[in-house]
Amino acid sequence: MKSSQTLIRVENLNKTYVVKKRVLQAVRNVSFSIRKGETLALVGESGCGKSTLGRTLLRLTEPTHGQIWFEDQSINGLSKSKFLPYRRKMQLIFQDPYASFNPRINVKEILSEPLELHQLNKGSGRITRITELLQQVGLNPDHMHRFPHEFSGGQRQRLGIARALAVNPEFIVCDEPVSALDVSVQAQIINLLKKLQSQYNLTYLFIAHQLAVVKQISHRVAVMYLGDLVELADTESLYQTPLHPYTQALLSAIPIPDPEVERKRAAVVVKGDVPSPFDPPKGCPFHTRCPFAMPICQTVKPELKEVHPGHMTSCHLY
Ligand code: SF4
């Protein structure tokens, strides 16, 4: 159940890469927190920095600047051994679990790896734990001797979830876990993640490139554009009254099954492609595509500020 206690807190997080002597600012001064038992969705087009942000929280890549807290502990800067207990508490579910599995090892070995790393469920308890994990994600424990290629895409994602669950984590970064799946399978995986969340009070950062995907699972939604957080709100507020023109455009792209409603709604259409992250526009990073851009937008970058209680956006219109 979502509580008022903060589990993850991020302040002024930056991640910069240097590629062939050119600077790429993948994440720019991002701050937010996630409460225990909450799902924060992180949405934006490919290349906006959302996966980099997710991986930085897990310290799979180190931040260039900024702070990350797990409860009251600042975790960036911890040595490898001091970080190990946090590594167990913070796990990742991949978009394509198949690419992350060693194809030469079977399910039993795949699920043994994290248990071995964290010295959990040794001896006969190991098989009991693997059986339990497979049951929790809706896979047949009799299949623990099968190899990843013998499963469907949805079953492989269930296996990826079982691997993340194996070490009893508290926080999971779900990095586009349903993007590669058929719509009907997407719903099954989202329902499974919701069930596991309420069973184990899990906290999720759920990354997706479409707003349509996250409505069913998220408590709050953060929208990213070119490395910046441009809107952050409760799911209902964001879908009912999106403030940032980019969020409005993302919502306009979701088809409505009723042709009458579809015809009447005012669509916000953005022009052009996402600018190069090597050379982001000055001022508001969205001004080159925004249908409401004003002269100030070309020179002054808007701050992320609270416009309504709990609803933040960075736009000169507010
Ligand atoms: Fe559009 Fe200006 Fe708002 Fe940026 S600041 S989103 S360009 S209106």
Side-chain angles (χ1 to χ4, degrees):
M1 200 209 290
K2 193 173 71 158
S3 84
S4 56
Q5 205 179 336
T6 297
L7 185 72
I8 299 287
R9 187 155 59 90
V10 171
E11 261 182 31
N12 303 325
L13 199 74
N14 284 271
K15 179 65 190 176
T16 301
Y17 296 100
V18 178
V19 184
K20 294 184 181 164
K21 297 187 179 167
R22 296 181 74 198
V23 175
L24 187 154
Q25 272 193 282
V27 177
R28 307 202 287 174
N29 234 23
V30 165
S31 302
F32 62 87
S33 59
I34 314 177
R35 297 186 281 270
K36 267 191 186 174
E38 182 183 37
T39 299
L40 176 69
L42 185 60
V43 179
E45 288 161 290
S46 296
C48 70
K50 55 195 189 304
S51 289
T52 304
L53 175 55
R55 281 157 195 266
T56 310
L57 293 190
L58 302 178
R59 283 193 60 193
L60 296 173
T61 177
E62 294 294 335
T64 312
H65 296 294
Q67 285 291 322
I68 306 163
W69 279 269
F70 187 99
E71 293 179 325
D72 294 330
Q73 174 67 53
S74 165
I75 55 169
N76 45 325
L78 286 182
S79 66
K80 222 174 165 183
S81 60
K82 288 209 167 117
F83 184 66
L84 192 61
Y86 293 94
R87 168 79 64 232
R88 184 190 70 67
K89 292 177 188 195
M90 305 165 78
Q91 293 291 309
L92 175 66
I93 296 171
F94 295 85
Q95 177 181 355
D96 178 5
Y98 193 52
S100 71
F101 295 144
N102 178 346
R104 284 181 288 277
I105 64 175
N106 65 24
V107 167
K108 182 178 142 222
E109 292 162 313
I110 287 169
L111 296 180
S112 288
E113 278 182 341
L115 298 173
E116 196 60 43
L117 175 69
H118 294 281
Q119 300 285 297
L120 299 169
N121 306 96
K122 290 179 171 179
S124 60
R126 181 73 48 96
I127 292 297
T128 310
R129 178 69 177 138
I130 290 171
T131 301
E132 185 183 83
L133 285 165
L134 291 171
Q135 285 167 338
Q136 280 168 350
V137 300
L139 291 174
N140 185 345
D142 292 342
H143 295 169
M144 71 170 75
H145 298 289
R146 293 192 178 180
F147 290 83
H149 72 268
E150 296 178 79
F151 293 91
S152 68
Q155 287 172 324
R156 282 201 286 263
Q157 195 49 286
R158 287 174 188 270
L159 185 54
I161 294 169
R163 180 174 58 183
L165 274 187
V167 293
N168 297 317
E170 292 177 42
F171 173 57
I172 302 181
V173 173
C174 307
D175 191 2
E176 304 224 26
V178 296
S179 302
L181 303 174
D182 293 342
V183 175
S184 60
V185 185
Q186 283 185 358
Q188 292 168 17
I189 296 295
I190 285 179
N191 286 337
L192 173 63
L193 288 168
K194 282 171 74 173
K195 186 186 92 175
L196 295 168
Q197 178 170 52
S198 66
Q199 240 172 321
Y200 301 109
N201 199 27
L202 294 167
T203 304
Y204 294 142
L205 179 72
F206 189 100
I207 298 172
H209 59 266
Q210 289 175 339
L211 275 169
V213 171
V214 303
K215 194 174 182 184
Q216 300 311 319
I217 194 167
S218 58
H219 297 101
R220 286 186 303 148
V221 181
V223 179
M224 260 185 112
Y225 186 77
L226 272 182
D228 285 300
L229 220 57
V230 297
E231 188 156 1
L232 176 62
D234 283 344
T235 303
E236 203 184 322
S237 308
L238 189 116
Y239 282 80
Q240 295 290 328
T241 40
L243 298 176
H244 198 281
Y246 179 57
T247 311
Q248 292 168 3
L250 289 178
L251 280 170
S252 293
I254 301 175
I256 295 175
D258 183 335
E260 192 63 23
V261 179
E262 177 80 58
R263 214 173 21 252
K264 282 184 190 155
R265 75 169 168 173
V268 175
V269 180
V270 294
K271 48 193 181 191
D273 296 323
V274 185
S276 165
F278 285 104
D279 190 19
K282 302 268 182 302
C284 171
F286 190 54
H287 85 257
T288 53
R289 303 172 79 197
C290 180
F292 309 111
M294 306 167 277
I296 188 178
C297 305
Q298 295 177 22
T299 51
V300 180
K301 187 172 180 179
E303 295 282 323
L304 187 71
K305 63 177 184 207
E306 195 166 38
V307 176
H308 306 301
H311 195 149
M312 305 176 83
T313 194
S314 58
C315 173
H316 290 306
L317 291 172
Y318 306 96

